[in-house]
């Protein structure tokens, strides 16, 4: 049985990954500092270590005590707005964490790495969908830190013969189909959980950040991917690393997008609530549209997404948030 170390396994995406890897029969070890993650989101079958990725002694002990076959790295600060205000925290946590991880991997001869990257590395582009060949031009320290992390991996792969896949996520959303784990940020900044706060009685209306973008209905378009499909892509990535040399970057999205207004309309349908809306000023740094070209994910990873259904996605999120609100 192969052993997978999942760093940031108590977070939103990480906790879904832990559960899926356990279901697939992998031995799973989780490291998380619980700054933004939740201990009870970690599947009971995984071995949990509370600690910080930047702590060299702590990480070395884990690598010495376990024979790790691959690492999946999710642990990062990930709020765009916060990153603009506190860039040093982002470079310290994200870039510093990656430096320590690469060091312990190299010292302990662990070669396989799947890295959680982001569409925020691309910045604004006029023509959709975005392929992996598009130029990178991050517009905030969060995206910049993730790009720096990708580059650190790339150079270390050359120097130390690492084998890696960097996966650039578009808008991850939804909750596990069994309703046990889901998205839980404080503060919440993502559209779908915020929209659902209206039918849950937590807020009175949804604010639309600008309706004067150059899109069909004037609101921003995003490529929303269900978290379980995203986790499945990571399983494919780990299997590919075990099978052969990879060392590349791959987009993860469905290849088509929905506007903010379409998301709100779908949430009305799913919840049966009128969800009042108000147009508010644009949020700084929002590109009009971000849609992935996902051909590479399908070809290289042999990834077959199952939940490309925005109603289902919003339904899974609503079921989860209803439980949380009780
Ligand atoms: N939005 C609103 N009202 C809200 C919240 C969001 O209108 O109350 C809009 C945003 O302006 C944006 C869209 O809904 O147009 C989606 O916003 P999210 O905050 O849900 O997601 P982002 O597209 O901003 O962020 C995602 C990822 C980030 C990543 C970024 C890259 O969650 O991790 O894409 O641009 F950095």
């Amino acid at each position: 049985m192969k052993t997978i170390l999942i760093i940031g396994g108590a977070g939103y995406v990480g906790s879904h990954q832990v559960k899926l890897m356990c279901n697939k029969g992998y031995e799973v070890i989780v490291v998380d500092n619980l700054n933004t993650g939740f201990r009870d989101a970690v599947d009971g079958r995984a071995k949990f270590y509370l600690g910080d990725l930047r702590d060299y002694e702590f990480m070395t002990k884990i690598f010495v005590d376990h024979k790790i076959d691959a690492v999946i790295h999710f642990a990062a600060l990930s709020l765009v707005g916060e990153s603009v205000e506190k860039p040093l925290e982002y470079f310290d946590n994200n870039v510093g964490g990656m430096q320590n991880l690469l060091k312990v991997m190299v010292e302990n001869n662990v070669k396989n790495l799947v890295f959680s990257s982001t569409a925020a590395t691309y910045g604004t582009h006029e023509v959709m969908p975005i392929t992996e060949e598009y130029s990178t031009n991050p517009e905030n320290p969060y995206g910049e830190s993730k790009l720096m992390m990708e580059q650190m991996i790339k150079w270390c792969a050359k120097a130390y013969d690492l084998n890696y896949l960097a996966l650039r996520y578009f808008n991850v959303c939804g909750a596990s189909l069994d309703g046990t784990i889901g998205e839980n940020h404080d503060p919440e900044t993502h559209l779908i959980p915020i929209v659902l706060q209206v039918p849950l009685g937590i807020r009175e209306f949804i604010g639309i950040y600008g309706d004067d973008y150059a899109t069909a209905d004037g609101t921003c378009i995003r490529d929303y991917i269900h978290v379980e499909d995203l986790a499945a892509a990571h399983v494919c990535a780990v299997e590919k690393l075990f099978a052969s040399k990879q060392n590349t970057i791959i987009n993860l999205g469905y290849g088509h997008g929905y506007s903010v207004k379409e998301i709100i309309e779908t949430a009305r349908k799913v919840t049966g609530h009128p969800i009042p809306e108000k147009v508010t000023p644009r949020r700084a740094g929002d590109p009009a549209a971000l849609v992935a070209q996902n051909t590479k994910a399908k070809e290289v990873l042999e990834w077959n997404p199952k939940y490309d259904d925005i109603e289902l996605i919003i339904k899974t999120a609503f079921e989860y948030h209803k439980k949380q609100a009780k």
Side-chain angles (χ1 to χ4, degrees):
M1 188 199 293
K2 301 256 194 214
T3 301
I4 312 293
L5 172 63
I6 301 186
I7 304 169
Y12 168 45
V13 178
S15 59
H16 286 84
Q17 195 65 46
V18 171
K19 186 174 163 204
L20 183 59
M21 295 318 268
C22 291
N23 288 348
K24 294 272 173 193
Y26 287 99
E27 187 169 333
V28 179
I29 296 163
V30 173
V31 164
D32 202 298
N33 63 11
L34 297 184
N35 272 1
T36 53
F38 299 91
R39 178 67 184 87
D40 62 4
V42 179
D43 193 290
R45 292 168 290 180
K47 190 159 177 44
F48 181 79
Y49 289 96
L50 174 62
D52 198 293
L53 170 61
R54 290 163 294 178
D55 181 339
Y56 174 74
E57 270 78 41
F58 164 71
M59 290 303 293
T60 298
K61 184 157 173 28
I62 290 170
F63 276 76
V64 168
D65 289 350
H66 300 276
K67 194 198 148 297
I68 294 163
D69 296 294
V71 177
I72 311 181
H73 178 24
F74 293 107
L77 298 178
S78 63
L79 298 179
V80 169
E82 183 185 69
S83 79
V84 177
E85 282 158 29
K86 303 174 182 169
L88 287 175
E89 282 187 25
Y90 275 66
F91 295 128
D92 180 16
N93 188 82
N94 296 1
V95 178
M98 179 58 90
Q99 175 154 1
N100 205 38
L101 174 62
L102 290 167
K103 189 169 179 219
V104 287
M105 282 180 69
V106 170
E107 285 175 358
N108 294 280
N109 203 28
V110 174
K111 300 284 188 189
N112 297 310
L113 174 62
V114 178
F115 172 53
S116 157
S117 191
T118 171
T121 52
Y122 289 114
T124 302
H125 289 273
E126 295 297 319
V127 182
M128 294 296 124
I130 295 177
T131 75
E132 292 83 355
E133 311 307 318
Y134 272 39
S135 60
T136 49
N137 183 23
E139 286 166 14
N140 50 67
Y142 164 65
E144 190 80 67
S145 72
K146 288 274 178 165
L147 185 59
M148 289 164 82
M149 293 158 88
E150 282 185 3
Q151 288 167 347
M152 292 163 82
I153 301 170
K154 179 187 78 180
W155 291 110
C156 288
K158 283 189 209 289
Y160 309 114
D161 192 32
L162 299 183
N163 192 19
Y164 77 90
L165 283 165
L167 307 178
R168 288 184 177 160
Y169 311 162
F170 283 67
N171 287 59
V172 189
C173 52
S176 65
L177 296 190
D178 65 10
T180 53
I181 42 179
E183 192 167 2
N184 209 341
H185 296 118
D186 186 20
E188 188 51 75
T189 61
H190 292 118
L191 178 63
I192 292 176
I194 290 181
V195 171
L196 293 174
Q197 286 178 351
V198 183
L200 291 170
I202 301 167
R203 66 174 70 213
E204 285 179 8
F205 64 90
I206 174 71
I208 297 176
Y209 295 150
D211 66 351
D212 55 352
Y213 286 91
T215 60
D217 66 17
T219 64
C220 290
I221 292 172
R222 295 288 181 272
D223 186 334
Y224 293 91
I225 170 173
H226 190 269
V227 64
E228 291 199 348
D229 271 336
L230 188 95
H234 290 65
V235 175
C236 300
V238 165
E239 287 169 357
K240 290 290 158 192
L241 291 180
F242 289 150
S244 59
K245 195 84 181 160
Q246 300 296 328
N247 293 8
T248 193
I249 290 164
I250 298 180
N251 286 340
L252 288 180
Y254 289 141
H256 58 85
Y258 294 96
S259 71
V260 173
K261 282 191 173 168
E262 286 172 326
I263 294 293
I264 298 169
E265 201 46 52
T266 310
R268 289 182 180 127
K269 196 171 160 197
V270 167
T271 63
H273 189 283
I275 312 185
E277 64 183 50
K278 276 189 198 167
V279 178
T280 62
R282 286 183 176 198
R283 183 171 69 177
D286 275 341
L290 276 175
V291 176
Q293 164 76 265
N294 67 8
T295 319
K296 193 170 174 185
K298 289 183 171 165
E299 284 175 7
V300 175
L301 299 179
E302 296 178 75
W303 174 60
N304 288 310
K306 289 194 207 144
Y307 308 117
D308 179 5
D309 173 345
I310 197 64
E311 269 187 53
L312 174 77
I313 289 174
I314 294 178
K315 196 163 177 291
T316 61
F318 191 48
E319 292 307 318
Y320 173 73
H321 290 299
K322 269 199 291 197
K323 263 198 210 165
Q324 294 293 108
K326 272 182 194 158

